[in-house]
Amino acid sequence: TYKKNAASGGVMSMIEQIVSDAKAMEAEAIRSEEDAQKAYEDFVKETNASIEAKSKDIVEKTEVRAKTEEELVETKESKEAVMLELEQLSNYNAQLHQSCDFVLKNFDLRQT
């Protein structure tokens, strides 16, 4: 009987060691899971912040583009008006030139 008890002590010690190792592994697994959960939560926060920042950037750039396109339309309209005015001034210049040429050509005749 004594030999059985001595042998069972070794087995009991081995079982206790296995239980102790299992508890340590469980604690390590729980810590790893908590670390992974925290890393995931941080990742989600960073991703959401990045998405929000990029969305704001898109809105701002869209507003700038709309304003720029509006300015482009106004500039084109202004250019058309200036070109029309230049054409009218050129025509007026040609008329004045003809009139001036006529006056110079006929100046001597009118003086007599």
Side-chain angles (χ1 to χ4, degrees):
T1 340
Y2 183 74
K3 289 183 180 179
K4 288 184 183 177
N5 284 339
S8 71
V11 171
M12 288 302 287
S13 159
M14 191 184 301
I15 290 175
E16 287 174 356
Q17 182 64 37
I18 291 172
V19 169
S20 173
D21 289 347
K23 285 182 181 179
M25 287 174 60
E26 179 184 16
E28 183 179 339
I30 289 172
R31 266 193 316 276
S32 293
E33 186 177 344
E34 288 171 353
D35 290 346
Q37 181 66 28
K38 174 138 178 36
Y40 171 75
E41 289 172 1
D42 291 344
F43 172 75
V44 169
K45 285 179 187 176
E46 290 173 8
T47 301
N48 288 339
S50 176
I51 289 171
E52 184 176 336
K54 294 201 184 325
S55 294
K56 286 180 182 178
D57 192 37
I58 288 171
V59 168
E60 290 172 2
K61 287 182 179 180
T62 302
E63 290 173 356
V64 168
R65 182 178 178 188
K67 184 177 179 184
T68 303
E69 287 177 352
E70 182 180 329
E71 290 173 356
L72 177 64
V73 168
E74 290 173 1
T75 303
K76 284 182 179 180
E77 290 172 355
S78 176
K79 178 187 172 194
E80 288 175 9
V82 167
M83 294 303 288
L84 178 63
E85 186 177 359
L86 276 174
E87 186 179 343
Q88 291 170 347
L89 287 172
S90 178
N91 291 339
Y92 182 65
N93 183 34
Q95 289 173 355
L96 282 177
H97 198 289
Q98 283 179 342
S99 176
C100 190
D101 285 346
F102 178 79
V103 169
L104 286 175
K105 186 187 272 187
N106 296 312
F107 181 75
D108 290 333
L109 293 174
R110 290 185 179 188
Q111 292 296 321
T112 55

